[in-house]
Amino acid sequence: MDNSIKEKIQALLDQHRTMRIATLRADGWPQVTTVGYANEGLTIYFLCGLDSQKAQNLSRDDRVSLAIDDDPAQVMDITGLSMAARARTLTDPAEIDKAIRLLMSRYPEQKAAGLPMPNPSEVRLIGLTPTVISLLDYSKGFGHTDLVVC
């Protein structure tokens, strides 16, 4: 992966904290929801309810697509990324702790308000590993994307 593209992808991941993620329902239709996330490098972490539709979808099929972007006033200022990734439920206690710390650091308002992070036994913590990333940058031309295979 070209270093300048990797740096742009990393910057987009680091500057945002919500994404739209699509999982596949049992009937084959995609289901898109917005979730908060934290990342370490290109690995993305999020959580969902143990019995949520998202958790059920991921237990059947680990393929996801996601999008991260802004809503700029000018169309030619659009930047963002979309990603195809593989999801996995975190089981290693050290990685679970790391993911929770990363998520808490991404949402300091929650901690400041005295709201606790959910207990790992009450939620499913998910790690995403990218397979393909499309970096969108309209400043290079309408609809310009750089495609990166991971």
Side-chain angles (χ1 to χ4, degrees), residues 84-148:
R86 295 284 181 173
R88 62 187 169 76
T89 298
L90 304 184
T91 56
D92 175 52
E95 189 174 22
I96 289 170
D97 288 343
K98 176 177 67 175
I100 289 173
R101 281 193 318 276
L102 287 168
L103 285 161
M104 288 297 285
S105 70
R106 207 60 166 263
Y107 287 89
E109 302 87 354
Q110 181 170 336
K111 189 174 183 179
L115 301 172
M117 189 67 167
N119 186 304
S121 65
E122 301 169 338
V123 295
R124 183 167 300 177
L125 287 146
I126 307 292
L128 301 177
T129 304
T131 58
V132 177
I133 302 171
S134 179
L135 181 62
L136 185 65
D137 185 353
Y138 276 38
S139 72
K140 293 182 177 180
F142 183 79
H144 177 86
T145 60
D146 291 302
L147 192 64
V148 177

Side-chain angles (χ1 to χ4, degrees), residues 15-46:
Q15 76 187 44
H16 294 279
R17 59 183 190 174
T18 61
M19 65 180 175
R20 270 84 45 225
I21 185 167
T23 57
L24 294 172
R25 297 183 338 188
D27 61 8
W29 284 94
Q31 175 186 343
V32 178
T33 54
T34 299
V35 298
Y37 77 90
N39 63 294
E40 182 177 64
L42 299 181
T43 301
I44 298 173
Y45 297 103
F46 73 96

Side-chain angles (χ1 to χ4, degrees), residues 40-93:
E40 182 177 64
L42 299 181
T43 301
I44 298 173
Y45 297 103
F46 73 96
L47 56 83
C48 61
L50 291 173
D51 298 323
S52 67
Q53 185 66 54
K54 201 168 14 281
Q56 292 173 32
N57 294 347
L58 291 171
S59 69
R60 281 189 306 277
D61 193 326
D62 70 345
R63 295 174 299 161
V64 302
S65 288
L66 63 91
I68 298 170
D69 54 38
D70 283 327
D71 185 16
Q74 300 295 322
V75 71
M76 295 309 288
D77 291 336
I78 292 175
T79 61
L81 63 83
S82 62
M83 179 186 294
R86 295 284 181 173
R88 62 187 169 76
T89 298
L90 304 184
T91 56
D92 175 52

